[in-house]
């Protein structure tokens, strides 16, 4: 399995605090059946983890996993936050963030927790114009998408993919997030699954997500999600 959203890099954001925790998360991920993780530290106004740091930390963690004979591939990425359009445009021009698996076809871009940015469709269209698909992490956790589902429908209509978090599907993020996440699965609008793991408690648990998708939507739906994940990492220069 491939996890496209995981805060496993040590000491850069609110994820793994050190190498020991990162290795512990890697062991849990491998036990769960995950074989590739796209490391996605935050790129926002609080944790501005830039591409150079991401790639250096990925190399450092990969070397440690190889030394310990943990067969897990770590690829670079970021979780961008749409603080404002200009924040994204400037970072895009200066190449300050990593696309998912360094594949310019896909970027993970979240909304602010304070509220929906009404200029999101404009940013999405600008990225689409350069051939980049925006993947929206954990929409089920944002109250504005739950209260105004038409906002999400508009984004889906212009090509945005969703990334539903396993913790939401199994109820760890509250009943409302669980219900919305399950509805996305039922409607075929859960385009990708990820763990959004941050530590040994908020851990890699991707197999639970696929099991639930298969139970609710069937094996074909789960396979379509797996195929999308493969597309994301297929062009990685690190493979």
């Amino acid at each position: 399995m491939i996890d496209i959203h995981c805060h496993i890099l040590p000491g850069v954001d609110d994820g793994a605090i050190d190498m020991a925790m990162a290795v512990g998360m890697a062991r849990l991920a491998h036990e769960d059946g995950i074989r590739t993780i796209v490391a996605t530290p935050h790129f926002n106004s609080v944790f501005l983890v830039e591409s150079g740091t991401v790639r250096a930390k990925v190399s450092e963690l990969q070397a440690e996993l190889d030394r310990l004979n943990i067969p897990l591939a770590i690829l670079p990425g970021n979780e961008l936050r749409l603080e404002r359009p200009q924040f994204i445009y400037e970072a895009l021009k200066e190449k300050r963030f990593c696309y998912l698996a360094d594949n310019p076809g896909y970027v993970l871009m979240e909304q602010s927790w304070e509220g929906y940015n009404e200029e999101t469709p404009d940013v999405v269209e600008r990225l689409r114009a350069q051939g980049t698909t925006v993947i929206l992490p954990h929409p089920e956790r944002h109250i504005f998408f739950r209260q105004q589902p038409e906002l999400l429908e508009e984004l889906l209509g212009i090509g945005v993919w969703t990334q539903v978090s396993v913790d939401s599907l199994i109820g760890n993020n509250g009943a409302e997030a669980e219900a919305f996440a399950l509805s996305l699965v039922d409607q075929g609008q859960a385009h990708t699954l990820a763990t959004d793991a941050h530590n040994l408690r908020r851990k890699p648990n991707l197999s639970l997500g696929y099991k639930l998708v298969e139970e609710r939507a069937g094996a074909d739906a789960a396979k379509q999600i797996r195929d999308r994940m493969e597309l994301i990492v297929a062009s990685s220069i690190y493979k």
Side-chain angles (χ1 to χ4, degrees):
M1 294 184 295
I2 300 166
D3 189 2
I4 63 164
H5 184 181
C6 185
H7 297 265
I8 194 172
L9 295 185
V12 294
D13 63 0
D14 59 344
I17 60 174
D18 54 23
M19 182 62 76
M21 181 176 286
V23 169
M25 291 172 66
R27 291 190 190 279
L28 290 175
H30 186 265
E31 290 170 6
D32 191 57
I34 296 168
R35 295 297 177 266
T36 302
I37 289 178
V38 182
T40 52
H42 292 294
F43 187 92
N44 59 38
S45 59
V46 178
F47 297 106
L48 192 65
V49 188
E50 300 196 17
S51 55
T53 299
V54 174
R55 295 189 185 103
K57 286 287 187 176
V58 164
S59 296
E60 179 184 345
L61 177 55
Q62 188 68 68
E64 181 65 3
L65 298 183
D66 292 347
R67 186 184 73 82
L68 296 170
N69 295 314
I70 301 173
L72 185 68
I74 308 296
L75 305 178
N78 271 115
E79 181 184 16
L80 282 64
R81 181 178 297 164
L82 181 50
E83 306 281 8
R84 60 189 187 283
Q86 201 58 34
F87 176 78
I88 299 296
Y89 299 152
E90 290 174 0
L92 183 66
K93 180 180 179 181
E94 297 167 7
K95 300 181 180 179
R96 296 174 64 193
F97 63 83
C98 290
Y99 297 97
L100 290 178
D102 261 351
N103 176 357
Y106 301 93
V107 68
L108 193 68
M109 187 177 75
E110 72 169 338
Q111 289 287 310
S112 167
W113 294 99
E114 283 70 38
Y116 179 69
N117 190 312
E118 295 183 355
E119 295 180 272
T120 300
D122 296 333
V123 178
V124 170
E125 292 289 10
R126 178 156 174 174
L127 287 163
R128 277 175 55 83
Q130 69 170 33
T132 301
T133 294
V134 171
I135 301 178
L136 178 67
H138 46 63
E140 73 280 353
R141 294 179 59 201
H142 288 282
I143 189 170
F144 43 80
F145 285 133
R146 300 198 301 261
Q147 293 182 343
Q148 297 176 270
E150 66 273 12
L151 296 175
L152 183 57
E153 289 291 341
E154 180 184 13
L155 297 181
L156 298 182
I158 58 174
V160 168
W161 287 4
T162 63
Q163 174 263 294
V164 172
S165 293
V166 177
D167 270 356
S168 296
L169 289 172
I170 62 177
N172 288 347
N173 291 326
E176 292 183 351
E178 179 183 7
F180 198 77
L182 291 173
S183 73
L184 292 175
V185 171
D186 293 343
Q187 297 171 59
Q189 295 178 335
H191 300 105
T192 65
L193 292 179
T195 68
D196 193 10
H198 278 63
N199 49 53
L200 299 178
R201 180 186 59 81
R202 189 174 166 184
K203 62 185 180 179
N205 54 2
L206 199 53
S207 62
L208 291 176
Y210 278 111
K211 181 175 183 291
L212 194 148
V213 169
E214 288 192 19
E215 289 173 351
R216 292 187 70 97
D220 285 347
K223 182 181 183 302
Q224 289 175 17
I225 292 173
R226 291 178 187 271
D227 289 347
R228 292 187 192 102
M229 312 289 245
E230 288 285 352
L231 278 175
I232 292 166
V233 304
S235 299
S236 173
I237 62 173
Y238 295 84
K239 289 191 71 178

